[in-house]
Amino acid sequence: KDQNLSVAARTAGLHDYSYGITSDPLTQFAVLLSALIHDVDHPGVPNAQLVKECSSLATIYKKRSVAELNSLDLAWNLLMEDNYKDLRD
């Protein structure tokens, strides 16, 4: 019991140093989701190289944040599948 109180006290103290992330479940979810989708399907070269090579991704994303926008689109499309309806609701 004393150990739980200590953990709770430490967690409450973290709020001031974590910009509220430790206290907000939606923010925690957003941080976790962004970590999971970061660099999904990354081709392994910098965006500048994708643009220089005129890759199809560079064309699709108008030569801006190519790999990042591709990762975001793939994750969004996956989230929109029926399998994840409960998560969206």
Coordinates of all heavy atoms in Angstrom, one line a residue:
K1 N 0.8 -1.2 0.0 CA 0.0 0.0 0.0 C 0.9 1.3 0.0 O 0.6 2.2 -0.7 CB -0.9 0.0 1.2 CG -2.1 0.9 1.1 CD -3.1 0.7 2.2 CE -4.3 1.6 2.0 NZ -5.3 1.4 3.0
D2 N 1.9 1.3 0.8 CA 2.8 2.4 0.9 C 3.5 2.6 -0.5 O 3.8 3.7 -0.9 CB 3.8 2.3 2.0 CG 3.2 2.4 3.4 OD1 2.1 3.1 3.4 OD2 3.7 2.0 4.3
Q3 N 3.8 1.4 -1.1 CA 4.5 1.5 -2.4 C 3.6 2.1 -3.4 O 4.0 2.9 -4.3 CB 4.9 0.1 -2.8 CG 5.7 0.1 -4.1 CD 6.2 -1.3 -4.5 OE1 5.7 -2.3 -3.9 NE2 7.0 -1.4 -5.5
N4 N 2.3 1.7 -3.5 CA 1.3 2.3 -4.4 C 1.2 3.8 -4.2 O 1.1 4.6 -5.1 CB 0.0 1.7 -4.3 CG 0.0 0.3 -4.8 OD1 0.8 -0.1 -5.6 ND2 -1.0 -0.5 -4.4
L5 N 1.2 4.3 -3.0 CA 1.1 5.7 -2.7 C 2.3 6.4 -3.2 O 2.2 7.5 -3.8 CB 0.9 5.9 -1.2 CG 0.8 7.4 -0.7 CD1 -0.4 8.0 -1.4 CD2 0.7 7.4 0.8
S6 N 3.5 5.8 -3.0 CA 4.7 6.4 -3.5 C 4.7 6.5 -5.1 O 5.1 7.5 -5.6 CB 5.9 5.5 -3.1 OG 7.1 6.0 -3.7
V7 N 4.2 5.5 -5.8 CA 4.1 5.5 -7.2 C 3.1 6.6 -7.6 O 3.3 7.4 -8.5 CB 3.6 4.1 -7.8 CG1 3.3 4.3 -9.2 CG2 4.7 3.1 -7.6
A8 N 1.9 6.7 -6.9 CA 0.9 7.7 -7.2 C 1.5 9.1 -7.0 O 1.3 10.0 -7.8 CB -0.3 7.5 -6.4
A9 N 2.3 9.3 -6.0 CA 2.9 10.6 -5.7 C 3.9 11.0 -6.7 O 3.9 12.1 -7.2 CB 3.5 10.6 -4.3
R10 N 4.7 10.0 -7.1 CA 5.7 10.3 -8.2 C 5.0 10.6 -9.5 O 5.4 11.5 -10.2 CB 6.6 9.1 -8.3 CG 7.7 9.0 -7.2 CD 8.7 7.9 -7.4 NE 8.0 6.7 -7.0 CZ 8.2 5.5 -7.4 NH1 9.1 5.3 -8.3 NH2 7.6 4.5 -6.9
T11 N 3.9 9.9 -9.8 CA 3.2 10.1 -11.1 C 2.6 11.5 -11.1 O 2.6 12.2 -12.1 CB 2.1 9.0 -11.3 OG1 2.8 7.8 -11.3 CG2 1.4 9.2 -12.6
A12 N 2.0 11.9 -10.0 CA 1.4 13.2 -9.8 C 2.5 14.3 -10.0 O 2.3 15.3 -10.7 CB 0.7 13.4 -8.5
G13 N 3.7 14.0 -9.5 CA 4.8 15.0 -9.7 C 5.3 15.0 -11.1 O 5.8 16.1 -11.5
L14 N 5.2 14.0 -11.9 CA 5.6 14.0 -13.3 C 4.8 14.9 -14.1 O 5.2 15.4 -15.1 CB 5.5 12.6 -13.8 CG 6.6 11.6 -13.5 CD1 6.3 10.2 -14.0 CD2 7.9 12.0 -13.9
H15 N 3.5 15.1 -13.7 CA 2.6 16.0 -14.5 C 3.3 17.3 -14.8 O 3.2 17.8 -16.0 CB 1.3 16.2 -13.8 CG 0.4 17.2 -14.5 ND1 -0.4 16.8 -15.5 CD2 0.2 18.5 -14.3 CE1 -1.1 17.8 -16.0 NE2 -0.7 18.9 -15.2
D16 N 4.0 17.9 -13.9 CA 4.6 19.2 -14.1 C 5.8 19.2 -15.0 O 6.2 20.2 -15.6 CB 5.1 19.8 -12.7 CG 3.9 20.1 -11.8 OD1 2.8 20.3 -12.3 OD2 4.1 20.0 -10.6
Y17 N 6.4 18.0 -15.2 CA 7.6 17.9 -16.0 C 7.3 17.2 -17.4 O 8.2 17.0 -18.1 CB 8.7 17.1 -15.3 CG 9.1 17.8 -14.0 CD1 8.6 17.4 -12.8 CD2 9.9 18.9 -14.1 CE1 8.9 18.1 -11.6 CE2 10.3 19.6 -12.9 CZ 9.8 19.2 -11.7 OH 10.1 19.8 -10.5
S18 N 6.1 16.8 -17.6 CA 5.8 16.0 -18.8 C 4.8 16.7 -19.7 O 4.2 16.1 -20.6 CB 5.3 14.6 -18.5 OG 4.1 14.7 -17.8
Y19 N 4.5 18.0 -19.4 CA 3.6 18.8 -20.2 C 2.2 18.1 -20.2 O 1.4 18.2 -21.1 CB 4.0 19.0 -21.7 CG 5.4 19.6 -21.7 CD1 6.5 18.9 -22.0 CD2 5.5 21.0 -21.6 CE1 7.7 19.5 -22.0 CE2 6.7 21.6 -21.6 CZ 7.8 20.9 -21.9 OH 9.1 21.5 -21.9
G20 N 1.9 17.4 -19.1 CA 0.6 16.9 -18.9 C 0.3 15.5 -19.5 O -0.7 14.9 -19.4
I21 N 1.3 15.0 -20.2 CA 1.2 13.7 -20.9 C 0.8 12.6 -20.0 O 0.0 11.7 -20.3 CB 2.5 13.4 -21.7 CG1 2.6 14.3 -22.9 CG2 2.5 11.9 -22.2 CD1 4.0 14.2 -23.6
T22 N 1.4 12.6 -18.8 CA 1.1 11.5 -17.8 C -0.3 11.6 -17.3 O -0.8 10.6 -16.7 CB 2.1 11.6 -16.6 OG1 2.0 12.8 -16.0 CG2 3.5 11.3 -17.1
S23 N -1.0 12.7 -17.5 CA -2.4 12.9 -16.9 C -3.5 12.8 -17.9 O -4.6 12.8 -17.6 CB -2.5 14.2 -16.2 OG -1.5 14.3 -15.2
D24 N -3.2 12.8 -19.2 CA -4.2 12.8 -20.3 C -4.1 11.6 -21.1 O -3.2 11.4 -21.9 CB -4.0 14.1 -21.1 CG -5.0 14.2 -22.2 OD1 -6.0 13.6 -22.2 OD2 -4.8 15.1 -23.1
P25 N -5.1 10.7 -21.0 CA -5.2 9.4 -21.8 C -5.2 9.7 -23.3 O -4.5 8.9 -24.0 CB -6.4 8.7 -21.3 CG -6.8 9.4 -20.0 CD -6.3 10.8 -20.1
L26 N -5.8 10.7 -23.8 CA -5.9 11.0 -25.2 C -4.5 11.4 -25.7 O -4.0 10.9 -26.8 CB -6.9 12.1 -25.5 CG -7.1 12.4 -27.0 CD1 -7.5 11.1 -27.8 CD2 -8.1 13.5 -27.2
T27 N -3.8 12.2 -24.9 CA -2.4 12.6 -25.3 C -1.5 11.3 -25.3 O -0.7 11.2 -26.1 CB -1.9 13.6 -24.3 OG1 -2.8 14.8 -24.4 CG2 -0.5 14.1 -24.7
Q28 N -1.7 10.5 -24.3 CA -0.9 9.3 -24.2 C -1.1 8.4 -25.4 O -0.2 7.9 -26.0 CB -1.2 8.5 -23.0 CG -0.8 9.1 -21.7 CD -1.3 8.4 -20.4 OE1 -2.1 7.5 -20.5 NE2 -0.8 8.8 -19.3
F29 N -2.4 8.3 -25.9 CA -2.7 7.5 -27.1 C -2.1 8.2 -28.3 O -1.5 7.4 -29.1 CB -4.2 7.4 -27.2 CG -4.6 6.7 -28.5 CD1 -4.5 5.4 -28.6 CD2 -5.1 7.5 -29.6 CE1 -4.8 4.7 -29.8 CE2 -5.4 6.8 -30.8 CZ -5.3 5.5 -30.9
A30 N -2.1 9.5 -28.4 CA -1.6 10.2 -29.6 C 0.0 9.9 -29.6 O 0.5 9.7 -30.7 CB -1.9 11.6 -29.5
V31 N 0.6 10.0 -28.5 CA 2.1 9.8 -28.5 C 2.4 8.4 -28.9 O 3.3 8.1 -29.7 CB 2.6 10.1 -27.1 CG1 4.1 9.7 -26.9 CG2 2.5 11.6 -26.8
L32 N 1.7 7.4 -28.3 CA 1.9 6.0 -28.7 C 1.6 5.7 -30.1 O 2.4 5.1 -30.8 CB 1.0 5.1 -27.8 CG 1.2 3.6 -28.0 CD1 2.6 3.1 -27.7 CD2 0.1 2.9 -27.2
L33 N 0.5 6.2 -30.6 CA 0.2 6.0 -32.1 C 1.3 6.7 -33.0 O 1.7 6.0 -33.9 CB -1.2 6.6 -32.4 CG -1.6 6.4 -33.8 CD1 -1.8 5.0 -34.2 CD2 -2.9 7.2 -34.1
S34 N 1.7 7.9 -32.6 CA 2.7 8.5 -33.5 C 4.0 7.7 -33.5 O 4.7 7.6 -34.5 CB 2.9 10.0 -33.1 OG 3.4 10.0 -31.8
A35 N 4.4 7.2 -32.3 CA 5.6 6.3 -32.2 C 5.4 5.1 -33.1 O 6.4 4.6 -33.7 CB 5.9 6.0 -30.8
L36 N 4.3 4.5 -33.0 CA 4.0 3.2 -33.8 C 4.1 3.5 -35.3 O 4.6 2.6 -36.0 CB 2.7 2.6 -33.4 CG 2.6 2.0 -32.0 CD1 1.2 1.6 -31.7 CD2 3.5 0.8 -31.9
I37 N 3.5 4.6 -35.8 CA 3.4 4.8 -37.2 C 4.6 5.5 -37.8 O 4.8 5.5 -39.0 CB 2.1 5.5 -37.6 CG1 2.1 6.9 -37.1 CG2 0.9 4.7 -37.1 CD1 1.0 7.8 -37.6
H38 N 5.5 6.1 -37.0 CA 6.6 6.8 -37.5 C 7.5 5.9 -38.3 O 7.9 4.8 -37.9 CB 7.5 7.3 -36.3 CG 8.7 8.1 -36.8 ND1 8.6 9.4 -37.3 CD2 10.0 7.7 -36.8 CE1 9.8 9.8 -37.6 NE2 10.6 8.8 -37.3
D39 N 7.7 6.3 -39.5 CA 8.6 5.6 -40.5 C 8.1 4.3 -41.0 O 8.8 3.5 -41.5 CB 10.0 5.4 -39.9 CG 10.8 6.7 -40.0 OD1 10.4 7.6 -40.7 OD2 11.9 6.8 -39.3
V40 N 6.8 4.1 -40.9 CA 6.2 2.9 -41.5 C 6.4 3.0 -43.0 O 6.2 4.0 -43.6 CB 4.6 2.8 -41.2 CG1 3.9 1.8 -42.1 CG2 4.4 2.5 -39.7
D41 N 6.8 1.9 -43.6 CA 7.1 1.9 -45.1 C 8.2 2.8 -45.5 O 8.2 3.2 -46.7 CB 5.8 2.1 -45.8 CG 5.9 1.6 -47.3 OD1 6.5 0.5 -47.5 OD2 5.4 2.3 -48.2
H42 N 9.0 3.3 -44.6 CA 10.1 4.2 -45.0 C 11.0 3.5 -46.0 O 11.5 2.4 -45.8 CB 10.9 4.7 -43.8 CG 11.7 5.9 -44.0 ND1 12.8 5.8 -44.8 CD2 11.6 7.1 -43.6 CE1 13.4 7.0 -44.8 NE2 12.6 7.8 -44.1
P43 N 11.3 4.2 -47.1 CA 12.2 3.5 -48.1 C 13.6 3.5 -47.8 O 14.4 2.9 -48.5 CB 11.9 4.4 -49.4 CG 11.5 5.7 -48.9 CD 10.8 5.5 -47.6
G44 N 14.1 4.1 -46.7 CA 15.5 4.0 -46.3 C 16.4 5.1 -46.8 O 17.6 5.0 -46.6
V45 N 15.8 6.1 -47.5 CA 16.6 7.2 -48.0 C 15.9 8.5 -47.6 O 14.7 8.5 -47.3 CB 16.8 7.2 -49.6 CG1 17.6 5.9 -50.0 CG2 15.4 7.2 -50.2
P46 N 16.7 9.6 -47.5 CA 16.1 10.8 -47.1 C 15.1 11.3 -48.1 O 15.1 11.0 -49.3 CB 17.3 11.8 -47.0 CG 18.5 10.9 -47.0 CD 18.1 9.7 -47.7
N47 N 14.2 12.2 -47.6 CA 13.2 12.8 -48.5 C 13.8 13.5 -49.7 O 13.3 13.4 -50.8 CB 12.3 13.8 -47.7 CG 11.4 13.1 -46.8 OD1 10.9 12.0 -47.0 ND2 11.0 13.8 -45.7
A48 N 14.9 14.2 -49.4 CA 15.6 14.9 -50.5 C 16.0 14.0 -51.6 O 16.0 14.3 -52.8 CB 16.9 15.6 -50.0
Q49 N 16.4 12.8 -51.3 CA 16.8 11.8 -52.3 C 15.6 11.3 -53.1 O 15.6 11.1 -54.3 CB 17.5 10.6 -51.7 CG 18.1 9.6 -52.7 CD 19.2 10.2 -53.5 OE1 19.9 11.1 -53.1 NE2 19.3 9.8 -54.8
L50 N 14.5 11.1 -52.4 CA 13.2 10.7 -53.1 C 12.8 11.8 -54.1 O 12.3 11.5 -55.2 CB 12.1 10.5 -52.0 CG 12.3 9.3 -51.1 CD1 11.3 9.3 -50.0 CD2 12.3 8.0 -51.9
V51 N 12.9 13.0 -53.7 CA 12.6 14.2 -54.5 C 13.5 14.2 -55.7 O 13.1 14.3 -56.9 CB 12.6 15.5 -53.8 CG1 12.4 16.7 -54.7 CG2 11.5 15.5 -52.7
K52 N 14.8 14.1 -55.4 CA 15.9 14.1 -56.5 C 15.6 13.1 -57.5 O 15.8 13.3 -58.7 CB 17.2 14.0 -55.9 CG 18.4 14.1 -56.8 CD 19.7 14.0 -56.1 CE 20.9 14.0 -57.0 NZ 22.1 13.8 -56.3
E53 N 15.2 11.9 -57.1 CA 15.0 10.7 -58.0 C 13.6 10.8 -58.6 O 13.3 9.9 -59.4 CB 15.2 9.4 -57.2 CG 16.6 9.2 -56.8 CD 16.7 8.0 -55.9 OE1 15.7 7.3 -55.6 OE2 17.9 7.6 -55.5
C54 N 12.8 11.8 -58.3 CA 11.5 11.9 -58.8 C 10.7 10.6 -58.5 O 9.9 10.1 -59.4 CB 11.5 12.2 -60.3 SG 12.2 13.8 -60.7
S55 N 10.8 10.1 -57.3 CA 10.0 8.9 -57.0 C 8.5 9.2 -57.0 O 8.1 10.3 -57.0 CB 10.4 8.4 -55.6 OG 9.8 9.3 -54.6
S56 N 7.8 8.1 -57.2 CA 6.3 8.2 -57.2 C 5.8 8.8 -55.9 O 4.8 9.6 -55.9 CB 5.7 6.9 -57.5 OG 6.0 5.9 -56.5
L57 N 6.4 8.5 -54.8 CA 6.0 9.1 -53.5 C 6.2 10.6 -53.5 O 5.4 11.4 -53.0 CB 6.8 8.5 -52.4 CG 6.4 7.0 -52.0 CD1 7.3 6.5 -50.8 CD2 4.9 6.9 -51.6
A58 N 7.3 11.0 -54.1 CA 7.6 12.5 -54.1 C 6.6 13.2 -55.0 O 6.1 14.3 -54.6 CB 9.0 12.7 -54.7
T59 N 6.1 12.6 -56.0 CA 5.1 13.1 -56.9 C 3.7 13.2 -56.1 O 3.1 14.2 -56.1 CB 4.9 12.3 -58.1 OG1 6.2 12.3 -58.8 CG2 3.9 12.9 -59.1
I60 N 3.4 12.1 -55.5 CA 2.1 12.0 -54.7 C 2.1 13.1 -53.7 O 1.0 13.8 -53.5 CB 1.9 10.6 -54.1 CG1 1.7 9.6 -55.2 CG2 0.8 10.6 -53.1 CD1 1.8 8.2 -54.7
Y61 N 3.1 13.3 -52.9 CA 3.2 14.2 -51.8 C 3.8 15.6 -52.1 O 4.1 16.3 -51.3 CB 3.8 13.6 -50.6 CG 3.1 12.3 -50.2 CD1 3.7 11.1 -50.3 CD2 1.8 12.4 -49.6 CE1 3.0 9.9 -50.0 CE2 1.1 11.3 -49.3 CZ 1.7 10.1 -49.4 OH 1.0 8.9 -49.1
K62 N 3.8 15.9 -53.4 CA 4.3 17.2 -53.9 C 5.6 17.6 -53.3 O 5.8 18.8 -53.0 CB 3.2 18.2 -53.7 CG 1.9 17.9 -54.4 CD 0.9 18.9 -54.1 CE -0.4 18.8 -54.8 NZ -1.0 17.5 -54.9
K63 N 6.5 16.6 -53.2 CA 7.9 16.8 -52.8 C 8.1 17.4 -51.4 O 9.1 18.0 -51.0 CB 8.6 17.7 -53.8 CG 8.6 17.2 -55.2 CD 9.3 18.1 -56.2 CE 9.3 17.6 -57.6 NZ 9.9 18.4 -58.5
R64 N 7.1 17.2 -50.5 CA 7.1 17.8 -49.2 C 6.9 16.6 -48.2 O 5.8 16.0 -48.2 CB 6.1 18.9 -49.0 CG 6.3 20.0 -50.0 CD 5.6 21.2 -49.7 NE 6.5 21.9 -48.7 CZ 6.1 22.9 -48.0 NH1 4.9 23.3 -48.1 NH2 6.9 23.5 -47.2
S65 N 7.8 16.5 -47.2 CA 7.6 15.5 -46.1 C 7.2 14.1 -46.7 O 6.2 13.5 -46.2 CB 6.6 16.0 -45.1 OG 7.0 17.2 -44.6
V66 N 7.8 13.7 -47.7 CA 7.4 12.5 -48.5 C 7.2 11.3 -47.7 O 6.1 10.7 -47.6 CB 8.4 12.3 -49.7 CG1 8.0 11.0 -50.4 CG2 8.5 13.5 -50.6
A67 N 8.3 10.8 -47.0 CA 8.2 9.6 -46.2 C 7.2 9.7 -45.0 O 6.5 8.8 -44.7 CB 9.6 9.2 -45.7
E68 N 7.2 10.9 -44.4 CA 6.3 11.1 -43.2 C 4.9 11.0 -43.7 O 4.0 10.4 -43.0 CB 6.6 12.4 -42.6 CG 8.0 12.5 -41.9 CD 9.2 12.7 -42.9 OE1 8.9 13.0 -44.1 OE2 10.3 12.6 -42.4
L69 N 4.5 11.7 -44.7 CA 3.1 11.7 -45.2 C 2.7 10.3 -45.7 O 1.6 9.9 -45.5 CB 2.9 12.8 -46.3 CG 3.0 14.2 -45.8 CD1 3.0 15.2 -47.0 CD2 1.8 14.5 -44.9
N70 N 3.6 9.6 -46.3 CA 3.3 8.3 -46.7 C 3.0 7.4 -45.5 O 2.0 6.6 -45.5 CB 4.5 7.7 -47.5 CG 4.2 6.3 -48.0 OD1 3.2 6.0 -48.6 ND2 5.1 5.4 -47.7
S71 N 3.8 7.5 -44.4 CA 3.6 6.7 -43.2 C 2.2 7.1 -42.6 O 1.5 6.2 -42.2 CB 4.7 7.0 -42.2 OG 5.9 6.6 -42.6
L72 N 1.9 8.3 -42.6 CA 0.6 8.8 -42.0 C -0.5 8.3 -42.8 O -1.5 7.8 -42.3 CB 0.6 10.3 -42.0 CG -0.6 11.0 -41.3 CD1 -0.7 10.5 -39.9 CD2 -0.5 12.5 -41.3
D73 N -0.4 8.4 -44.2 CA -1.5 7.8 -45.0 C -1.7 6.3 -44.8 O -2.9 5.9 -44.8 CB -1.2 8.1 -46.5 CG -1.7 9.5 -46.9 OD1 -2.4 10.2 -46.2 OD2 -1.3 9.9 -48.1
L74 N -0.6 5.6 -44.8 CA -0.8 4.1 -44.6 C -1.4 3.8 -43.2 O -2.3 3.0 -43.2 CB 0.6 3.5 -44.7 CG 1.2 3.4 -46.0 CD1 2.7 2.9 -45.9 CD2 0.4 2.5 -47.0
A75 N -1.0 4.5 -42.2 CA -1.6 4.3 -40.9 C -3.1 4.7 -40.9 O -3.9 4.0 -40.3 CB -0.8 5.1 -39.8
W76 N -3.4 5.8 -41.5 CA -4.8 6.3 -41.5 C -5.7 5.3 -42.2 O -6.8 4.9 -41.8 CB -4.9 7.7 -42.2 CG -6.3 8.2 -42.2 CD1 -7.2 8.2 -43.2 CD2 -7.0 8.8 -41.0 NE1 -8.4 8.7 -42.8 CE2 -8.3 9.1 -41.5 CE3 -6.6 9.1 -39.7 CZ2 -9.2 9.7 -40.6 CZ3 -7.5 9.7 -38.9 CH2 -8.8 10.0 -39.4
N77 N -5.2 4.8 -43.4 CA -6.0 3.9 -44.2 C -6.2 2.6 -43.4 O -7.3 2.0 -43.4 CB -5.3 3.6 -45.5 CG -5.4 4.8 -46.4 OD1 -6.3 5.6 -46.3 ND2 -4.5 4.9 -47.4
L78 N -5.2 2.1 -42.7 CA -5.3 0.9 -41.8 C -6.3 1.2 -40.7 O -7.2 0.3 -40.5 CB -4.0 0.6 -41.2 CG -3.9 -0.7 -40.4 CD1 -4.2 -1.9 -41.2 CD2 -2.5 -0.8 -39.8
L79 N -6.3 2.3 -40.1 CA -7.2 2.7 -39.0 C -8.6 2.7 -39.5 O -9.6 2.4 -38.8 CB -6.8 4.0 -38.4 CG -7.6 4.4 -37.2 CD1 -7.5 3.4 -36.0 CD2 -7.2 5.8 -36.7
M80 N -8.8 3.1 -40.7 CA -10.2 3.2 -41.3 C -10.8 1.8 -41.7 O -12.0 1.7 -42.1 CB -10.2 4.1 -42.5 CG -9.9 5.5 -42.2 SD -11.2 6.2 -41.1 CE -10.3 6.4 -39.6
E81 N -10.0 0.7 -41.7 CA -10.5 -0.6 -42.0 C -11.5 -1.0 -40.9 O -11.5 -0.6 -39.8 CB -9.4 -1.6 -42.1 CG -8.5 -1.4 -43.3 CD -7.4 -2.4 -43.4 OE1 -7.3 -3.3 -42.5 OE2 -6.6 -2.3 -44.3
D82 N -12.4 -1.9 -41.3 CA -13.5 -2.4 -40.4 C -12.9 -3.0 -39.1 O -13.6 -3.0 -38.1 CB -14.4 -3.4 -41.1 CG -15.3 -2.7 -42.1 OD1 -15.5 -1.5 -42.0 OD2 -15.8 -3.4 -43.0
N83 N -11.8 -3.6 -39.2 CA -11.2 -4.3 -38.1 C -11.0 -3.3 -36.9 O -10.9 -3.8 -35.7 CB -9.8 -4.9 -38.4 CG -9.9 -6.0 -39.4 OD1 -11.0 -6.5 -39.7 ND2 -8.8 -6.4 -40.0
Y84 N -10.8 -2.1 -37.2 CA -10.5 -1.1 -36.1 C -11.7 -0.1 -35.8 O -11.5 0.9 -35.2 CB -9.3 -0.3 -36.6 CG -8.1 -1.2 -36.8 CD1 -7.7 -1.6 -38.0 CD2 -7.4 -1.7 -35.7 CE1 -6.6 -2.4 -38.2 CE2 -6.4 -2.6 -35.8 CZ -6.0 -2.9 -37.1 OH -4.9 -3.8 -37.3
K85 N -12.9 -0.6 -36.2 CA -14.1 0.2 -36.0 C -14.3 0.6 -34.5 O -14.6 1.7 -34.1 CB -15.3 -0.5 -36.5 CG -16.6 0.3 -36.4 CD -17.8 -0.4 -36.9 CE -19.1 0.4 -36.9 NZ -19.4 1.1 -35.7
D86 N -14.0 -0.4 -33.6 CA -14.2 -0.2 -32.2 C -13.2 0.8 -31.6 O -13.5 1.6 -30.8 CB -14.0 -1.5 -31.4 CG -15.2 -2.4 -31.6 OD1 -16.3 -2.0 -32.0 OD2 -15.0 -3.7 -31.3
L87 N -12.0 0.9 -32.2 CA -11.0 1.8 -31.8 C -11.4 3.3 -32.2 O -11.2 4.2 -31.5 CB -9.7 1.5 -32.4 CG -8.5 2.3 -32.0 CD1 -8.3 2.3 -30.5 CD2 -7.2 1.9 -32.7
R88 N -12.1 3.4 -33.4 CA -12.5 4.7 -33.9 C -13.7 5.2 -33.1 O -13.8 6.4 -33.0 CB -12.8 4.6 -35.3 CG -11.7 4.3 -36.2 CD -12.0 4.5 -37.7 NE -13.3 3.8 -38.1 CZ -13.3 2.6 -38.6 NH1 -12.2 1.9 -38.8 NH2 -14.5 2.1 -39.0
D89 N -14.5 4.3 -32.6 CA -15.8 4.8 -32.0 C -15.5 5.1 -30.6 O -15.3 5.5 -29.7 CB -16.8 3.7 -32.0 CG -17.3 3.4 -33.4 OD1 -17.2 4.3 -34.3 OD2 -17.9 2.3 -33.6

